[in-house]
Each structure stands twice: as C-alpha cells, then as structure tokens.
Amino acid sequence: MGELLDKINKENDIKNIDENEYRRLAREIREFIINNVTSTGGHLASNLGAVELTMALHLCCDLPKDKIIFDVGHQCYTHKLLTGRKEQFKTLRKFNGISGFPRISESDCDVFDTGHSSNSLSLALGLCNAREIKKEDYKVFAVIGDGALSGGMAFEALNNAARLKSNLVIVINDNQMSISKNVGGMANYLGKIRTNKKYNNLKDSVENAFAHLPGGDQLTDKVRGAKDIIKRVFISGMLFEDMGLTYIGPINGHNVPQMVSAFNSALNMNEPVIVHVCTKKGKGYKPAEKNPRKYHGVAAGSGGTKIETYSDVVGSTLIEMAEEDERIVGITAAMPDGTGLTPFMKKFPDRSFDVGIEEEHAVTFAAGLARGGLRPVVAIYSTFFQRAYDQMISDVCLQKLPVVFCFDRSGIVGADGSTHQGIFDTSFLKSMPGLTIMAPADKFEMKEMLKKAVEIGGPVAIKYPRGEAIVSSRFRDEEIEVGRCQVYGDSAAGGAGSNKKVLIVAVGNMVHRALRVRDELTKSNIDAVVINARFIKPMDEETILSEGKKYRNIVTLEEGVLTGGFGEEVNSLFKDIDG
C-alpha cells in the first residue's frame, strides 16, 4: 500500500515510475486522498476525477520550469502529492497548514493563488505573451473544467487566444459537472462532441489508413480542408475551430498514455490547442461516483447530525413566499445545493434559474426579470458576488430595481482559505446607491428579513454566515422595521464617563456572541448594553448615537475588514464627541 507513491518525494519523480505501473499509482493516490480528505475535510469528488489527468500533465512537464494553471484549483490535490507535499496533507485546510488550492507560498510548482473559476485561460495567455516578449522557453498548460468554461471570462480569453503566435495547451476537464450538474449551451455543445462517435471513428479510420500509405503525411495535409467539412456535417458549429483554435478530442481522461500522447501532439504545434479530456467526477469511490454533488466537498469526519443552515432557511422561506406571491423567482450560479435553493427549484421549476458559473449574468438577468414585473431573489456566495460588482451598481441599483441579493457565506468561512472569505461585502456594498443592507442575528430574523426585502420594492442585500442557523427567542420581541436596530439591556443604567458601562454594537451572527459577552461582563458587575444593528444601510444613527453618548466604552463586532466596514462608520459618528 502506497509503495509507488512513497517513491514520489519531489516534482518530476513521477517520471521514474514505469508506464505499466500508472494504474497502480492512480489507485494509491485515490486511496491516499480518500483517507485524508474524509479526515481533514476538503474537495473530494473533483480531486478523484482528476488523478490520471494530473499524472499525464506532470509526465509532459519539467516542473517548476513549465507551468500548469488549474482553474479554480480545488482539484489540485494530486498535483500537491506529485510535488512533494504528501507529509503535509494531515494539515490540509488547517491554520498554518497547506491550502486546498494552489498557493505560490507553498511551492514553486504552484503558478497562481487560485480559488475562483474561469480565469485560467486569461492567466495562461498572459504567461505565454510574457514568454514571447522575454524570449523564454517553457510550456504552459491551462486546465479548465467544462463548468468553468461557461464563465464569461473564459470566453473573453478564447476570443483572444487565436492571436497567440506560440504554443498554449488548453485542457478541458469535462466531467459534466461543476458543483452541480452543468447547464446551458456550452454543456450541451460539449455533450454533442463527447457522444459523437461517428465523427471520431471516421477520423481515426481515415488517419490510420493514410498512415500505412506512402506519403501518408502529405495526404493527411491535403485532406485537412475536407476533414473540416466532415466535422461540420457530423458536429454542427465546431465552435473552437471556428474561433481559430485547433481541437483534439475527446480523450479518455483516465487513460494516462493516451493523454500523454495527445498533450505531446498539442505541444508540437506553434499555436493554442484545445485538448478535450473526459473524466468521471468521484472516480474510484463509489459513493462519490453515484452522488458527486454530495461529495464535491466533505467536512472533517464526514458525518454527524444534519443541521439547519441559514441557506436552508432561505430555501424554505422562499417556498413559503412563492406559494403566496407568483412574482417570486429564484436564481443561483451553479450552486443550488450550497445556497439552499434545490427544494425551491423542485417545487417551482418554472420560476427557478441555475445560470451556471455566470455571476455577472445572474445579476443582470435578475434586473431584466425585475423590470418585467417579477421579484427575483439571487442567492450566491459572498466571495463570488464580487464578480458582479459592476452589474449590481449599473444594472440594478442605479435602476432602483427590486432585486434581492442573498449573500450566502458572508463573513469568515474558514477552511477554504483567502479566496473564499466573505469579508469584503460590507465594504463594497455600502457605496452602492439606494441599496438596503440587512444582517440577521438568527433564523427568525433571516425569515423576516427575506420577506421584508421583497416588500421594500428596491434593491436589497441580505448578509448571512455559513453554518447553523441560530435559534433564539431574544430577537422576536418586535417587528423588523427598516433602518431600525434593537437594544438589549438597561440603557438607562449607563452614565457618561462611567468605566463600568459598555455598549456593544454587533452585526448579524456576531449579535449572539455580543450577548454572551454581556452575560460574562454581568458576572463581573460590569453593566453592558448590546445593540443588534439589523440594518447596515440605512444605519440607525439616531439610536446608536443616543445610546453611545452614555458610555465611555463602545465596541463594534462584525466579521469583515476594517476599511469601509460597519465599525468604521460607527466610529465616524462619534468623531466630534469628546471622551
């Protein structure tokens, strides 16, 4: 067990493994990943599907001289194993441990700190052009999934790729999945290529026949134009080649020698080449093969009691609302499970839209729905909403359209690392014109805020954290009023200049922490009052100022960056007050 993997202690060691042992090495890598990820947590199905693909890439590269760019990067575990990081896997996704994504700080073999999708082609084009300008010589591979290929940025890069005058190998890792099953035109297009045996069988037959004839190479060149015609007969569109890109495939993504041959053929061309590789997400682990959505990411320990998350509350509340209001529609970007919208989509398929990995489109699409008289609710992770900043301002806020933005996983999300933290949303949302920003303190407020958001009739953002929805009776004593906060404690007990009086102003999931702090302070005979902000914008300046003037000590609690944050704005309210 692990004998072959034990021989790989640094980059390029895989080249010392005999070709007849590739299948065995792949099994050892899968066993290692399964054993470790089910313990530490991490992305499982995507990594199991990319084992042989990564092996083939490493066999064709001289690392770290050559460059492999993994789109998103959550499928990089085999890459990390093959570059000498096996012993560090017990620290995967832990503080000061190795990341679940490529990180330059970990290895010279990691080209970029990736984490978001659809950017690998643009990065690769930049590297290739830098290589040309500096007259350097190294290979560049960009690995992009079929789900990420649907992102607008990937199309922008493809549009520019044909202008490149040197080699770039674009590997499409086609497993028919992003996190959930892929949707849209690109998924259908790749499906047609994937399943079209007629053209591929004919192509192989013609090329094999010519190979055995005198002057076969010349004959192959002469019929290239005819072959293009044949392609158009069997596969309508030929999108990639019509864009000026050479296409090779589809290739079996679990056959290492076949991929190595295809990659070497692509490297021999002085131009961008697309190699279409078909893999199975979750390969080698039956539960993940049967349910790749469930095993896309697994928590440490892989088990435990099912909890109700804020995402679940959003989904169930939307169903309640949609049953009473036919204008309600739900939108997500390739994450119906993660955002809790799956039950809503099953209940109201005609009022549900999974647009794929296309956050910018999701927002402007919602603007069109709102302009048409509907009430769209867009549920996307906070970190991915960043990509739709322009669309939120220009297409929704400036138009004063009634779109509700559900910022899932707002705040600190933990193990996924820097690219996934939802800590910037308050800062970039506050400047958006006419946008109301809410942050619920518990399950009850989450439900009520979602209902209130639709009633407001303008653009609204609701920020809520990853994980269990807090259930508390403390937040149910009054109706949610737009722009008004809640005060907990005997504010009359405060006194100006008193060192034993503390005002804590908290946002969202930090409110219950603030109340626990208040309880601890009370044990030490320190009186404290807690304000549940509820609304970041418009802020309840009147109440915060009124309460704040009574105390020497004012503390703000939020999950976010200081610059542009809620605390910074509270501080500015008191800048002209002495003491």
Side-chain angles (χ1 to χ4, degrees), residues 15 29 43 49 54 57 119 128 155 174 199 216 333 342 367 378 405 412 446 491 495 509 544 548 573:
K15 295 176 183 178
I29 291 173
H43 290 95
T54 308
L57 289 167
N119 62 354
C128 289
F155 278 95
D174 179 6
Y199 165 70
T342 296
V378 186
F405 301 111
I412 298 171
M446 181 73 251
S491 62
N509 65 312
I544 294 174
L573 290 177

Side-chain angles (χ1 to χ4, degrees), residues 558-572:
E558 63 179 316
E559 286 190 12
V561 295
L562 177 63
T563 302
F566 181 80
E568 185 180 71
E569 187 158 348
V570 170
N571 187 59
S572 70

Side-chain angles (χ1 to χ4, degrees), residues 69 112 119-129 140-142 168:
I69 305 169
F112 285 95
N119 62 354
S120 61
L121 306 190
S122 296
L123 291 170
L125 280 176
L127 275 172
C128 289
N129 279 278
V140 179
F141 284 87
L168 163 63

Side-chain angles (χ1 to χ4, degrees), residues 181-239:
K181 189 170 180 61
N182 286 327
V183 296
M186 178 54 70
N188 292 335
Y189 174 74
L190 291 176
K192 289 179 181 178
I193 298 178
R194 190 188 312 117
T195 58
N196 198 302
K197 302 297 184 184
K198 292 181 180 179
Y199 165 70
N200 289 297
N201 291 341
L202 177 61
K203 176 173 73 73
D204 292 341
S205 298
V206 171
E207 291 179 353
N208 289 336
F210 284 161
H212 295 89
L213 294 175
D217 292 341
Q218 290 80 5
L219 285 171
T220 300
D221 291 338
K222 288 181 180 180
V223 299
R224 181 165 294 171
K227 202 166 79 171
D228 287 342
I229 295 173
I230 293 171
K231 286 181 182 179
R232 283 161 174 77
V233 170
F234 287 104
I235 307 174
S236 61
M238 283 311 299
L239 172 66

Side-chain angles (χ1 to χ4, degrees), residues 502-513:
V502 180
L503 175 66
I504 306 174
V505 187
V507 177
N509 65 312
M510 299 301 289
V511 174
H512 75 284
R513 298 173 189 265

Side-chain angles (χ1 to χ4, degrees), residues 27-41:
R27 287 196 298 271
E28 290 185 10
I29 291 173
R30 283 196 172 88
E31 184 176 353
F32 182 93
I33 290 174
I34 292 168
N35 290 338
N36 278 268
V37 173
T38 52
S39 174
T40 63

Side-chain angles (χ1 to χ4, degrees), residues 121-122 124-125 128-129 132 154-168 170 240 243-246 270-274:
L121 306 190
S122 296
L125 280 176
C128 289
N129 279 278
E132 288 184 6
F155 278 95
E156 293 173 16
L158 287 174
N159 189 51
N160 282 273
R163 299 163 57 186
L164 185 67
K165 303 303 180 185
S166 61
N167 182 257
L168 163 63
I170 298 170
F240 301 123
M243 294 180 74
L245 305 170
T246 298
N270 194 38
E271 59 184 295
V273 181
I274 289 178

